[in-house]
Amino acid sequence: MESTYAFVGDQTVGAMVEARMEAAGCSRAESVAEADTVITYYTTQTALEDAYFDESGLIQSACPGTLLIDLSSSTPSFARELNAVAVVSDLVSVEAPLIVLDLSLPDAFARRDNLACLVGGEEDAVQRALPVVETLAGDVQDTGGPGSAQLARAAYTLQTTAQVISAIEADALYRVVRRSSAVSGRGVGRVGAATPVAEQVLAAVETGSFAGTYTVEMLMSELSAALTAADDVDLILPQGEACLHLLELLAVIGGTGKAPSALSLVYGDESACAAEGLDWTRAEQTYGDASDELGFSEHDDVEDGCGCGHDHSGDDPYSGYSIYPGYSVN
């Protein structure tokens, strides 16, 4: 185990890293230059790139031989670039994107067994990093060479996001039907959960648990990284893009810091949103009136408002499908 460490990035993840590393007997260095290991986690690709590649970034600040472990969700191409730059700078780089297994826990990072990491990099680098990563996460998987962990993370993210949103939409259907009709005097019942992820989300929605340390911002960051990876190889992922647009809407009305279960509020009435601090007038200001034919045509505004880091500029083949502002009338 490396004896000293430094953490740079999101402080929610930073608090988890500090607690685990110090419990394992590692001390926090006064600066990056004094650390044997530097651990990073960011929720936007831009911030991650700046952290490593700015003139005063980690590549310049870390001493030769320092182990760099990035817990962020980024792209395979970024991971390979970082590894190449680290090699020529006499540094050791490992990608270890962090996975929260139960998204609905109020303190999702508190339990080591609720965290997993996919680890990719040069074989010697991975072997050096494994003791550190295993200190942080209960499930650690070596995926192979540089870029492999971020590719596996992207695949995991696309499937998880689809499960979260489909479970919430199925629940929304049940709720609306129960309110508006009766079937031979009997109740309509509850929507069944098809996967463990769906079960977690539906349980949180049922109890009104919309706060947690794993946030919509983090989920958007992971999905943005997956979509950027697809962009890098000219692959269009319509379902992933649609999911991101819906998360953007929740972010715009004030849900960035809420748990992903808060997405269910988008399908409810405005009073329920207001009770949770969400404001639909922000959506009207960003997207225009809900009666507009296309709600998400102004992608520059979306990017500024959601903070997800995904590139919304340029031609978007999905912009015409965006009708989400209309959901507030349910």
Side-chain angles (χ1 to χ4, degrees):
M1 172 71 73
E2 309 289 332
S3 59
T4 61
Y5 78 96
F7 176 83
V8 183
D10 178 88
Q11 288 309 302
T12 298
V13 173
M16 177 275 291
V17 169
E18 181 176 2
R20 303 263 163 78
M21 293 294 283
E22 296 192 359
C26 298
S27 58
R28 185 161 189 166
E30 293 295 324
S31 67
V32 166
E34 299 174 15
D36 299 316
T37 300
V38 177
I39 302 170
T40 58
Y41 177 88
Y42 284 91
T43 57
T44 72
Q45 184 81 13
T46 300
L48 182 62
E49 292 171 354
D50 289 346
Y52 278 98
F53 297 139
D54 266 3
E55 290 183 5
S56 58
L58 299 177
I59 295 297
Q60 298 296 325
S61 302
C63 289
T66 300
L67 173 62
L68 307 174
I69 300 177
D70 182 34
L71 304 179
S72 315
S73 291
S74 63
T75 63
S77 60
F78 175 81
R80 290 191 294 268
E81 178 185 3
L82 177 56
N83 179 74
V85 173
V87 168
V88 300
S89 302
D90 197 19
L91 300 169
V92 180
S93 173
V94 170
E95 64 201 85
L98 188 65
I99 295 174
V100 174
L101 300 176
D102 187 341
L103 312 181
S104 65
L105 292 178
D107 192 349
F109 298 95
R111 288 170 35 190
R112 179 174 166 273
D113 63 359
N114 193 45
L115 301 177
C117 278
L118 304 168
V119 184
E122 304 294 346
E123 186 174 355
D124 291 347
V126 169
Q127 291 305 310
R128 180 177 166 185
L130 281 177
V132 178
V133 180
E134 289 169 350
T135 297
L136 305 178
D139 183 7
V140 176
Q141 299 179 34
D142 181 353
T143 59
S148 64
Q150 294 297 353
L151 179 58
R153 181 61 170 107
Y156 182 94
T157 297
L158 289 168
Q159 295 177 70
T160 299
T161 306
Q163 292 175 58
V164 169
I165 293 180
S166 62
I168 287 173
E169 292 197 338
D171 182 74
L173 175 62
Y174 265 64
R175 289 176 182 273
V176 171
V177 169
R178 286 203 307 270
R179 287 199 306 264
S180 61
S181 66
V183 181
S184 301
R186 298 180 306 181
V188 179
R190 294 279 309 144
V191 61
T195 67
V197 170
E199 185 175 359
Q200 297 161 9
V201 172
L202 291 174
V205 171
E206 180 67 16
T207 58
S209 301
F210 302 130
T213 52
Y214 181 82
T215 64
V216 168
E217 179 182 17
M218 292 175 175
L219 180 58
M220 291 175 69
S221 169
E222 294 159 4
L223 183 54
S224 290
L227 291 172
T228 302
D231 289 343
D232 287 346
V233 293
D234 298 323
L235 178 65
I236 296 173
L237 300 176
Q239 179 176 257
E241 291 277 0
C243 289
L244 183 59
H245 285 321
L246 186 54
L247 290 168
E248 286 168 350
L249 173 61
L250 178 57
V252 164
I253 65 176
T256 306
K258 291 190 175 295
S261 55
L263 188 60
S264 64
L265 295 168
V266 172
Y267 297 86
D269 56 37
E270 292 190 28
S271 62
C273 289
E276 292 292 331
L278 304 180
D279 184 357
W280 276 99
T281 62
R282 298 176 184 174
E284 294 172 0
Q285 293 166 0
T286 301
Y287 306 127
D289 189 271
S291 63
D292 290 349
E293 183 178 356
L294 301 179
F296 278 82
S297 59
E298 299 299 328
H299 280 259
D300 288 340
D301 290 343
V302 174
E303 184 175 13
D304 292 341
C306 72
C308 72
H310 186 58
D311 182 7
H312 302 287
S313 61
D315 295 333
D316 185 349
Y318 308 112
S319 63
Y321 299 139
S322 301
I323 56 173
Y324 301 127
Y327 289 159
S328 64
V329 301
N330 286 340

Short mmCIF file of all heavy atoms in Angstrom, two decimals, residues 133-170:
data_model
loop_
_atom_site.label_atom_id
_atom_site.label_comp_id
_atom_site.label_asym_id
_atom_site.label_seq_id
_atom_site.Cartn_x
_atom_site.Cartn_y
_atom_site.Cartn_z
N VAL A 133 -7.06 0.63 -4.69
CA VAL A 133 -8.45 0.57 -5.16
C VAL A 133 -9.27 -0.39 -4.30
O VAL A 133 -10.43 -0.11 -3.98
CB VAL A 133 -8.49 0.14 -6.64
CG1 VAL A 133 -9.93 0.07 -7.13
CG2 VAL A 133 -7.71 1.13 -7.50
N GLU A 134 -8.67 -1.51 -3.88
CA GLU A 134 -9.39 -2.46 -3.02
C GLU A 134 -9.67 -1.90 -1.64
O GLU A 134 -10.59 -2.34 -0.96
CB GLU A 134 -8.59 -3.76 -2.93
CG GLU A 134 -8.61 -4.56 -4.22
CD GLU A 134 -7.62 -5.70 -4.24
OE1 GLU A 134 -6.76 -5.77 -3.32
OE2 GLU A 134 -7.69 -6.53 -5.17
N THR A 135 -8.90 -0.90 -1.24
CA THR A 135 -9.20 -0.19 0.02
C THR A 135 -10.47 0.64 -0.11
O THR A 135 -11.22 0.80 0.85
CB THR A 135 -8.01 0.72 0.40
OG1 THR A 135 -6.86 -0.09 0.64
CG2 THR A 135 -8.32 1.55 1.64
N LEU A 136 -10.73 1.13 -1.30
CA LEU A 136 -11.87 2.02 -1.53
C LEU A 136 -13.16 1.28 -1.85
O LEU A 136 -14.24 1.70 -1.42
CB LEU A 136 -11.56 2.98 -2.68
CG LEU A 136 -10.28 3.81 -2.56
CD1 LEU A 136 -10.09 4.68 -3.80
CD2 LEU A 136 -10.29 4.67 -1.30
N ALA A 137 -13.07 0.20 -2.61
CA ALA A 137 -14.26 -0.46 -3.14
C ALA A 137 -14.26 -1.95 -2.81
O ALA A 137 -13.20 -2.60 -2.81
CB ALA A 137 -14.36 -0.26 -4.64
N GLY A 138 -15.45 -2.49 -2.58
CA GLY A 138 -15.57 -3.89 -2.22
C GLY A 138 -15.44 -4.84 -3.39
O GLY A 138 -15.08 -6.00 -3.21
N ASP A 139 -15.75 -4.38 -4.59
CA ASP A 139 -15.69 -5.21 -5.79
C ASP A 139 -14.77 -4.54 -6.79
O ASP A 139 -15.09 -3.45 -7.28
CB ASP A 139 -17.09 -5.41 -6.36
CG ASP A 139 -17.11 -6.33 -7.57
OD1 ASP A 139 -16.06 -6.93 -7.89
OD2 ASP A 139 -18.17 -6.46 -8.22
N VAL A 140 -13.65 -5.16 -7.09
CA VAL A 140 -12.66 -4.58 -8.00
C VAL A 140 -12.39 -5.58 -9.12
O VAL A 140 -12.08 -6.74 -8.85
CB VAL A 140 -11.35 -4.24 -7.27
CG1 VAL A 140 -10.31 -3.73 -8.24
CG2 VAL A 140 -11.62 -3.21 -6.16
N GLN A 141 -12.50 -5.11 -10.37
CA GLN A 141 -12.30 -5.99 -11.52
C GLN A 141 -11.26 -5.39 -12.46
O GLN A 141 -11.37 -4.24 -12.87
CB GLN A 141 -13.61 -6.17 -12.29
CG GLN A 141 -14.72 -6.81 -11.47
CD GLN A 141 -16.01 -6.96 -12.27
OE1 GLN A 141 -16.00 -7.19 -13.47
NE2 GLN A 141 -17.13 -6.81 -11.59
N ASP A 142 -10.25 -6.20 -12.77
CA ASP A 142 -9.22 -5.81 -13.74
C ASP A 142 -9.77 -6.07 -15.14
O ASP A 142 -10.07 -7.21 -15.49
CB ASP A 142 -7.95 -6.64 -13.48
CG ASP A 142 -6.81 -6.31 -14.42
OD1 ASP A 142 -7.01 -5.52 -15.37
OD2 ASP A 142 -5.71 -6.86 -14.23
N THR A 143 -9.92 -5.01 -15.93
CA THR A 143 -10.54 -5.15 -17.25
C THR A 143 -9.53 -5.25 -18.39
O THR A 143 -9.91 -5.57 -19.52
CB THR A 143 -11.46 -3.95 -17.53
OG1 THR A 143 -10.69 -2.74 -17.46
CG2 THR A 143 -12.60 -3.90 -16.53
N GLY A 144 -8.26 -4.95 -18.12
CA GLY A 144 -7.27 -5.02 -19.19
C GLY A 144 -6.47 -3.74 -19.34
O GLY A 144 -6.22 -3.03 -18.36
N GLY A 145 -6.09 -3.44 -20.58
CA GLY A 145 -5.19 -2.32 -20.86
C GLY A 145 -5.85 -0.96 -20.79
O GLY A 145 -7.05 -0.83 -20.51
N PRO A 146 -5.10 0.10 -21.06
CA PRO A 146 -5.62 1.47 -21.01
C PRO A 146 -6.87 1.64 -21.87
O PRO A 146 -6.90 1.21 -23.03
CB PRO A 146 -4.45 2.31 -21.54
CG PRO A 146 -3.24 1.51 -21.21
CD PRO A 146 -3.65 0.08 -21.39
N GLY A 147 -7.88 2.26 -21.31
CA GLY A 147 -9.14 2.48 -22.01
C GLY A 147 -10.18 1.41 -21.77
O GLY A 147 -11.38 1.65 -21.94
N SER A 148 -9.76 0.23 -21.35
CA SER A 148 -10.71 -0.88 -21.20
C SER A 148 -11.70 -0.66 -20.07
O SER A 148 -12.89 -1.02 -20.20
CB SER A 148 -9.95 -2.19 -20.96
OG SER A 148 -9.23 -2.16 -19.73
N ALA A 149 -11.25 -0.08 -18.97
CA ALA A 149 -12.16 0.13 -17.84
C ALA A 149 -13.21 1.18 -18.18
O ALA A 149 -14.38 1.05 -17.79
CB ALA A 149 -11.38 0.54 -16.59
N GLN A 150 -12.83 2.22 -18.89
CA GLN A 150 -13.79 3.25 -19.25
C GLN A 150 -14.80 2.72 -20.28
O GLN A 150 -15.98 3.12 -20.25
CB GLN A 150 -13.09 4.50 -19.79
CG GLN A 150 -12.24 5.23 -18.76
CD GLN A 150 -13.04 5.78 -17.58
OE1 GLN A 150 -14.27 5.75 -17.57
NE2 GLN A 150 -12.33 6.32 -16.59
N LEU A 151 -14.38 1.83 -21.16
CA LEU A 151 -15.31 1.22 -22.08
C LEU A 151 -16.32 0.35 -21.34
O LEU A 151 -17.53 0.41 -21.59
CB LEU A 151 -14.56 0.38 -23.12
CG LEU A 151 -15.42 -0.36 -24.15
CD1 LEU A 151 -16.28 0.61 -24.94
CD2 LEU A 151 -14.54 -1.18 -25.08
N ALA A 152 -15.83 -0.45 -20.39
CA ALA A 152 -16.72 -1.28 -19.59
C ALA A 152 -17.66 -0.42 -18.75
O ALA A 152 -18.85 -0.75 -18.58
CB ALA A 152 -15.91 -2.21 -18.70
N ARG A 153 -17.14 0.69 -18.24
CA ARG A 153 -17.98 1.60 -17.44
C ARG A 153 -19.09 2.20 -18.29
O ARG A 153 -20.23 2.33 -17.83
CB ARG A 153 -17.11 2.72 -16.85
CG ARG A 153 -17.87 3.72 -15.97
CD ARG A 153 -18.48 2.99 -14.79
NE ARG A 153 -19.02 3.85 -13.77
CZ ARG A 153 -20.32 4.04 -13.55
NH1 ARG A 153 -21.22 3.49 -14.36
NH2 ARG A 153 -20.73 4.77 -12.54
N ALA A 154 -18.77 2.58 -19.52
CA ALA A 154 -19.78 3.15 -20.41
C ALA A 154 -20.90 2.15 -20.67
O ALA A 154 -22.09 2.51 -20.65
CB ALA A 154 -19.13 3.58 -21.73
N ALA A 155 -20.55 0.90 -20.90
CA ALA A 155 -21.56 -0.13 -21.14
C ALA A 155 -22.45 -0.31 -19.91
O ALA A 155 -23.67 -0.43 -20.01
CB ALA A 155 -20.89 -1.44 -21.52
N TYR A 156 -21.83 -0.33 -18.75
CA TYR A 156 -22.58 -0.46 -17.49
C TYR A 156 -23.52 0.72 -17.30
O TYR A 156 -24.68 0.57 -16.93
CB TYR A 156 -21.60 -0.56 -16.32
CG TYR A 156 -22.25 -0.76 -14.97
CD1 TYR A 156 -22.43 -2.03 -14.45
CD2 TYR A 156 -22.67 0.33 -14.21
CE1 TYR A 156 -23.02 -2.22 -13.21
CE2 TYR A 156 -23.27 0.16 -12.98
CZ TYR A 156 -23.44 -1.12 -12.48
OH TYR A 156 -24.03 -1.29 -11.25
N THR A 157 -23.02 1.92 -17.57
CA THR A 157 -23.82 3.13 -17.39
C THR A 157 -25.05 3.14 -18.28
O THR A 157 -26.15 3.49 -17.84
CB THR A 157 -22.96 4.37 -17.68
OG1 THR A 157 -21.89 4.44 -16.74
CG2 THR A 157 -23.79 5.64 -17.60
N LEU A 158 -24.88 2.79 -19.55
CA LEU A 158 -26.01 2.81 -20.48
C LEU A 158 -27.11 1.87 -20.00
O LEU A 158 -28.30 2.21 -20.07
CB LEU A 158 -25.53 2.41 -21.88
CG LEU A 158 -24.66 3.45 -22.60
CD1 LEU A 158 -24.01 2.83 -23.82
CD2 LEU A 158 -25.49 4.68 -22.98
N GLN A 159 -26.74 0.70 -19.52
CA GLN A 159 -27.75 -0.25 -19.05
C GLN A 159 -28.40 0.22 -17.75
O GLN A 159 -29.62 0.13 -17.59
CB GLN A 159 -27.10 -1.62 -18.86
CG GLN A 159 -26.61 -2.24 -20.15
CD GLN A 159 -25.91 -3.56 -19.93
OE1 GLN A 159 -26.55 -4.55 -19.60
NE2 GLN A 159 -24.60 -3.57 -20.12
N THR A 160 -27.60 0.73 -16.83
CA THR A 160 -28.15 1.18 -15.55
C THR A 160 -29.10 2.34 -15.73
O THR A 160 -30.18 2.38 -15.13
CB THR A 160 -27.00 1.58 -14.60
OG1 THR A 160 -26.16 0.44 -14.37
CG2 THR A 160 -27.55 2.08 -13.27
N THR A 161 -28.70 3.32 -16.54
CA THR A 161 -29.55 4.50 -16.75
C THR A 161 -30.89 4.10 -17.36
O THR A 161 -31.94 4.60 -16.97
CB THR A 161 -28.84 5.51 -17.66
OG1 THR A 161 -27.56 5.82 -17.13
CG2 THR A 161 -29.65 6.79 -17.76
N ALA A 162 -30.85 3.18 -18.32
CA ALA A 162 -32.09 2.72 -18.94
C ALA A 162 -33.00 2.05 -17.92
O ALA A 162 -34.23 2.24 -17.94
CB ALA A 162 -31.77 1.76 -20.08
N GLN A 163 -32.42 1.28 -17.00
CA GLN A 163 -33.21 0.62 -15.96
C GLN A 163 -33.85 1.64 -15.01
O GLN A 163 -35.01 1.51 -14.64
CB GLN A 163 -32.33 -0.35 -15.17
CG GLN A 163 -31.87 -1.55 -15.94
CD GLN A 163 -30.91 -2.40 -15.14
OE1 GLN A 163 -31.25 -2.88 -14.06
NE2 GLN A 163 -29.71 -2.60 -15.65
N VAL A 164 -33.08 2.64 -14.63
CA VAL A 164 -33.60 3.68 -13.72
C VAL A 164 -34.79 4.39 -14.35
O VAL A 164 -35.86 4.52 -13.74
CB VAL A 164 -32.49 4.69 -13.38
CG1 VAL A 164 -33.08 5.91 -12.66
CG2 VAL A 164 -31.42 4.04 -12.51
N ILE A 165 -34.63 4.84 -15.57
CA ILE A 165 -35.67 5.65 -16.20
C ILE A 165 -36.88 4.80 -16.58
O ILE A 165 -38.03 5.22 -16.40
CB ILE A 165 -35.09 6.40 -17.41
CG1 ILE A 165 -34.09 7.45 -16.90
CG2 ILE A 165 -36.19 7.06 -18.23
CD1 ILE A 165 -33.43 8.28 -17.96
N SER A 166 -36.66 3.59 -17.07
CA SER A 166 -37.81 2.75 -17.42
C SER A 166 -38.61 2.37 -16.18
O SER A 166 -39.84 2.31 -16.24
CB SER A 166 -37.34 1.50 -18.17
OG SER A 166 -36.50 0.71 -17.36
N ALA A 167 -37.95 2.14 -15.06
CA ALA A 167 -38.67 1.82 -13.82
C ALA A 167 -39.51 3.01 -13.37
O ALA A 167 -40.66 2.85 -12.96
CB ALA A 167 -37.68 1.42 -12.72
N ILE A 168 -38.94 4.21 -13.45
CA ILE A 168 -39.67 5.41 -13.05
C ILE A 168 -40.85 5.67 -13.98
O ILE A 168 -41.95 6.04 -13.54
CB ILE A 168 -38.71 6.62 -13.01
CG1 ILE A 168 -37.80 6.50 -11.78
CG2 ILE A 168 -39.48 7.94 -12.98
CD1 ILE A 168 -36.71 7.55 -11.71
N GLU A 169 -40.68 5.44 -15.28
CA GLU A 169 -41.79 5.65 -16.21
C GLU A 169 -42.89 4.61 -15.99
O GLU A 169 -44.08 4.93 -16.08
CB GLU A 169 -41.27 5.62 -17.64
CG GLU A 169 -40.38 6.81 -17.97
CD GLU A 169 -40.19 7.02 -19.45
OE1 GLU A 169 -40.37 6.05 -20.22
OE2 GLU A 169 -39.84 8.15 -19.84
N ALA A 170 -42.51 3.37 -15.72
CA ALA A 170 -43.52 2.34 -15.43
C ALA A 170 -44.30 2.70 -14.17
O ALA A 170 -45.53 2.57 -14.12
CB ALA A 170 -42.85 0.98 -15.27
#
